[in-house]
């Protein structure tokens, strides 16, 4: 089992009554249509974080489809989302005994009040509790030092201070081997590893795993690149309902070419189970 300690929280939030739950809550306007006010608390450089958006759309689809849990969700990020009013339109594509599939788009409004599509997803939902326990895998949890030996924003220079509101909503402790970028000494490797949790102590669930796969600093930072790294496409697979306790997230990039890179993420729970995976394609700003 992983060697870690839960970060202290003065008042531990519970699932259903936390900042994450409130900020991803959608209001049903009519069948298949949901309203939400995207919170400024989940932004970086003024744009709403892609993992938070994935969780918002995941919640809307969870209400629209007959099955409770996202198994796979693929998102195309069309234009940058900003805090404020948005509408989500969902469509049920197919329903079956064990899986249901749906699509959803999130729209915001331009200065003339016209809808502008920000993100479109296609997802399949099922019931994680009904899956068999048989696991045959060669995957291994990432080797991350104990929680108290890793570094968060309060432990040293924070290059993102003042431009990353999402940082205040997370408990991130980065592996020292992947924080060279924060002091101007990036390793040159496309790697990022961290202990992950929500700042109010809320335990992870399938929906928050959609946030976890896109909440760490970009691997591009440790490759010596700077600036915004916008996601073009992101596919996440939820494999198991996570056990209580901190998560470990490991992200790697093997190929940067033509101004684009991939990020492959794995999320492991406190019982050493691989609970989520993802791959995304992102743009980078080259010097």
């Amino acid at each position: 089992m992983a060697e870690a300690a839960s970060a202290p929280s003065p008042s531990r939030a519970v699932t259903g009554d936390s900042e994450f739950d409130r900020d991803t809550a959608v209001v049903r306007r009519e069948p298949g249509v949901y309203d939400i006010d995207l919170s400024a608390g989940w932004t970086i450089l003024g744009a709403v974080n892609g993992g938070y958006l994935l969780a918002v759309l995941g919640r809307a689809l969870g209400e629209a489809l007959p099955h409770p849990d996202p198994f796979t969700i693929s998102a195309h990020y069309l234009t940058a989302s900003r805090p404020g009013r948005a509408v989500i339109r969902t469509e049920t594509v197919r329903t079956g005994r064990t899986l249901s599939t749906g699509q959803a788009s999130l729209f915001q409004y331009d200065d003339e009040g016209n809808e502008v599509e920000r993100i479109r997803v296609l997802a399949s939902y099922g019931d994680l509790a009904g899956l068999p326990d048989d696991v045959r895998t060669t995957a291994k949890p990432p080797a991350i030092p104990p929680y108290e030996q890793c570094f968060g924003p309060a432990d040293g220079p924070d290059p993102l201070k003042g431009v990353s509101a999402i940082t205040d909503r997370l408990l991130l402790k980065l592996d020292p081997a992947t924080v060279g970028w924060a002091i101007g000494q990036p390793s040159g490797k496309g790697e990022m590893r961290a202990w992950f949790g929500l700042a109010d102590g809320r335990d992870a669930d399938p929906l928050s795993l959609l946030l976890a796969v896109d909440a760490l600093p970009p691997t591009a930072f440790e490759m010596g690149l700077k600036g915004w790294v916008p996601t073009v496409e992101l596919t996440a697979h939820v494999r198991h309902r996570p056990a209580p306790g901190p998560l470990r997230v490991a992200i790697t990039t093997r190929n940067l070419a033509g101004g684009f890179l991939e990020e492959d993420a794995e999320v492991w729970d406190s019982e050493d189970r691989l609970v989520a995976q993802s791959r995304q394609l992102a743009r980078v700003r080259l010097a």
Side-chain angles (χ1 to χ4, degrees):
M1 187 173 292
E3 180 183 358
S6 297
S9 178
S11 56
R12 190 175 183 85
V14 297
T15 303
D17 185 23
S18 74
E19 184 176 30
F20 175 76
D21 296 303
R22 292 188 294 272
D23 288 348
T24 57
V26 295
V27 178
R28 185 176 181 269
R29 182 197 302 179
E30 59 187 70
V33 181
Y34 301 87
D35 293 308
I36 186 171
D37 192 12
L38 297 177
S39 170
W42 305 88
T43 59
I44 180 167
L45 295 172
V48 180
N49 170 263
Y52 165 70
L53 289 171
L54 201 62
V56 166
L57 286 157
R59 186 177 294 281
L61 281 168
E63 296 195 10
L65 296 173
H67 292 93
D69 301 316
F71 277 21
T72 179
I73 182 167
S74 296
H76 286 264
Y77 295 81
L78 308 176
T79 53
S81 299
R82 303 296 177 184
R85 190 164 59 104
V87 60
I88 300 169
R89 303 187 184 281
T90 67
E91 177 185 347
T92 299
V93 177
R94 179 186 180 277
T95 59
R97 186 175 61 85
T98 59
L99 286 175
S100 55
T101 299
Q103 61 182 7
S105 291
L106 182 143
F107 299 86
Q108 291 189 300
Y109 304 91
D110 62 19
D111 293 339
E112 286 73 43
N114 301 310
E115 288 188 352
V116 178
E117 190 172 10
R118 301 297 196 195
I119 175 176
R120 184 181 297 190
V121 306
L122 181 67
S124 289
Y125 275 58
D127 185 355
L128 289 169
L131 296 181
D133 293 329
D134 187 5
V135 177
R136 311 178 197 193
T137 181
T138 59
K140 296 181 180 179
I144 302 178
Y147 188 92
E148 61 274 9
Q149 295 178 20
C150 293
F151 296 100
D155 298 321
D158 182 6
L160 301 179
K161 187 174 180 61
V163 299
S164 180
I166 190 174
T167 303
D168 296 332
R169 268 126 209 104
L170 305 177
L171 280 177
L172 275 184
K173 286 287 190 174
L174 294 168
D175 183 337
T178 67
V179 297
W181 61 275
I183 56 174
Q185 299 176 9
S187 67
K189 299 178 180 179
E191 299 176 352
M192 200 66 62
R193 292 182 296 274
W195 295 98
F196 175 88
L198 292 170
D200 59 12
R202 176 198 189 272
D203 280 322
D205 67 353
L207 204 62
S208 67
L209 292 177
L210 302 180
L211 168 69
V213 298
D214 192 41
L216 270 59
T219 55
F221 287 4
E222 196 61 1
M223 299 171 78
L225 301 174
K226 298 180 180 179
W228 189 33
V229 185
T231 302
V232 176
E233 187 272 342
L234 169 62
T235 295
H237 297 162
V238 177
R239 309 303 301 272
H240 203 287
R241 185 174 292 275
L247 301 171
R248 285 157 292 164
V249 183
I251 305 178
T252 58
T253 293
R254 297 177 58 235
N255 190 53
L256 186 160
F260 291 84
L261 56 75
E262 90 288 344
E263 287 192 343
D264 290 317
E266 291 185 350
V267 184
W268 295 77
D269 72 1
S270 59
E271 296 184 357
D272 285 347
R273 292 179 302 192
L274 181 61
V275 292
Q277 300 166 276
S278 73
R279 165 167 280 199
Q280 69 170 280
L281 183 71
R283 288 188 292 140
V284 294
R285 179 182 298 170
L286 300 174

